[in-house]
């Protein structure tokens, strides 16, 4: 039972890792930290791979919005629209 719980916890954390990597355009295997990575050869740091728009909007956009504050909401929405347009 303990091993099953550990496996479930690991799988959950791997899913979060994959979602955050997709949101930031990073390699989910090494985040660009490992030149021996079979997925990116160490070239998968944030912004170097395709960004998943839905993951970006779920994980990154709220942080930017909080950081920018309410006075910058209109600028953030323009940036969100620009991201959406650039991904399509």
């Amino acid at each position: 039972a303990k091993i099953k719980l550990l496996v479930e916890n690991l799988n959950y954390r791997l899913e979060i890792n994959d979602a955050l990597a997709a949101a930031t355009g990073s390699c989910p295997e090494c985040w660009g930290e490992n030149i021996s990575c079979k997925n990116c050869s160490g070239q998968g740091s944030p912004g170097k791979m395709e960004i998943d728009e839905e993951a970006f909007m779920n994980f990154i956009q709220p942080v930017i919005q909080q950081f920018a504050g309410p006075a910058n909401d209109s600028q953030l929405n323009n940036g969100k629209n620009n991201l959406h347009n650039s991904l399509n």
Side-chain angles (χ1 to χ4, degrees):
K2 219 175 198 183
I3 291 179
K4 182 180 178 189
L5 182 61
L6 288 172
V7 169
E8 288 174 0
N9 188 296
L10 175 61
N11 287 334
Y12 172 75
R13 292 176 190 282
L14 289 171
E15 287 177 23
I16 294 294
N17 177 75
D18 290 350
L20 289 172
T24 60
S26 304
C27 173
E29 300 299 320
C30 78
W31 289 68
E33 299 283 324
N34 182 358
I35 60 170
S36 300
C37 178
K38 293 178 180 163
N39 192 44
C40 76
S41 302
Q43 301 299 309
S45 60
K48 300 288 181 158
M49 304 182 90
E50 185 175 342
I51 295 172
D52 180 289
E53 182 180 1
E54 183 178 354
F56 181 90
M57 294 304 172
N58 287 333
F59 291 102
I60 306 303
Q61 190 269 344
V63 175
I64 294 170
Q65 192 166 8
Q66 182 179 4
F67 183 74
N72 295 316
D73 281 350
S74 64
Q75 289 177 331
L76 182 62
N77 287 332
N78 287 338
K80 182 169 55 172
N81 291 336
N82 290 340
L83 174 67
H84 176 76
N85 292 336
S86 69
L87 294 174
N88 290 322

